[in-house]
Amino acid sequence: MKKTFVFLTLSTQIIFAQNIAQKLDDATKNLMNSSLAISSNLSFYVADESGNLVYEFQGNKGLSTASTQKIFTAAAALETLGKNYTYKTTSSYSGTISNGNLNGNLFITSNGDPTLGSWRYEGYKPENFKQKLIEAVKRSGITKISGDLVIDDSYFDHQTDSEVGRGTIWEIITEQECGV
């Protein structure tokens, strides 16, 4: 009786695992054959609770972690900033407006707004930001600016190298080459 029970249990697990593996294989093939995945790379490995292989797709292929790191960044931002957080980009000016002419500077201030423009998303193309800025300036009655456009990034002045890392990759390479 025990042998029959063990046999049925193992058979069920094998059939179940094959069913899951087949579903994963079908889903993976559908994904990789879709037009959205034309230039993509994929590598993953699925194991059960005991560490036994259930399915893998190019499981030994090493990929850059940049895309997966975005998940952790997004989760940290959500936890730290909250779900209702909104980035703000403001425009302001110094000086006076006379007959549509701003005699002063136009300022753009932001706290890291990632939506200033991305060609990937229809509502956030760079030209959309530019158009919104131009419309806001026109609503202020400004048609000409006799001054400078000043991008205020002082929001980031409080960050030190230790908070944001050692610097750009170019700085790190230069330090290594110069023996700094």
Side-chain angles (χ1 to χ4, degrees):
M1 181 69 167
K2 286 184 180 180
K3 289 182 182 177
T4 305
F5 178 74
V6 170
F7 176 75
L8 288 174
T9 302
L10 290 174
S11 298
T12 304
Q13 288 179 345
I14 291 169
I15 291 168
F16 179 72
Q18 288 175 339
N19 187 27
I20 295 292
Q22 187 59 52
K23 287 180 180 179
L24 287 168
D25 191 53
D26 292 343
T28 302
K29 286 178 180 173
N30 286 339
L31 172 67
M32 295 309 290
N33 290 327
S34 74
S35 62
L36 297 174
I38 196 163
S39 297
S40 64
N41 288 309
L42 179 65
S43 171
F44 69 97
Y45 180 98
V46 179
D48 63 14
E49 297 86 9
S50 302
N52 299 314
L53 172 67
V54 174
Y55 179 77
E56 74 173 301
F57 181 81
Q58 301 182 42
N60 292 325
K61 183 177 186 179
L63 299 175
S64 172
T65 60
S67 293
T68 56
Q69 290 299 315
K70 293 174 191 168
I71 296 168
F72 301 112
T73 303
L78 181 62
E79 183 176 328
T80 303
L81 302 173
K83 66 180 184 176
N84 295 319
Y85 183 80
T86 303
Y87 287 98
K88 291 184 177 61
T89 299
T90 58
S91 60
S92 58
Y93 64 88
S94 64
T96 60
I97 301 172
S98 177
N99 296 323
N101 184 31
L102 169 60
N103 293 305
N105 298 327
L106 179 65
F107 297 90
I108 298 177
T109 305
S110 181
N111 63 347
D113 190 349
T115 63
L116 291 181
S118 172
W119 57 269
R120 292 184 171 146
Y121 304 104
E122 191 59 41
Y124 299 102
K125 296 198 179 296
E127 56 269 20
N128 292 353
F129 172 75
K130 182 174 82 176
Q131 188 59 40
K132 288 177 184 178
L133 177 63
I134 291 170
E135 289 170 6
V137 169
K138 286 181 179 178
R139 278 194 307 273
S140 298
I142 300 170
T143 56
K144 181 180 176 186
I145 300 172
S146 298
D148 294 321
L149 173 61
V150 179
I151 308 298
D152 176 8
D153 64 353
S154 62
Y155 175 81
F156 301 100
D157 286 350
H158 70 281
Q159 295 179 342
T160 64
D161 285 344
S162 63
E163 290 173 326
V164 296
R166 288 179 49 208
T168 66
I169 190 66
W170 180 254
E171 290 170 334
I172 293 168
I173 290 170
T174 304
E175 286 175 5
Q176 290 171 350
E177 288 176 354
C178 297
V180 177

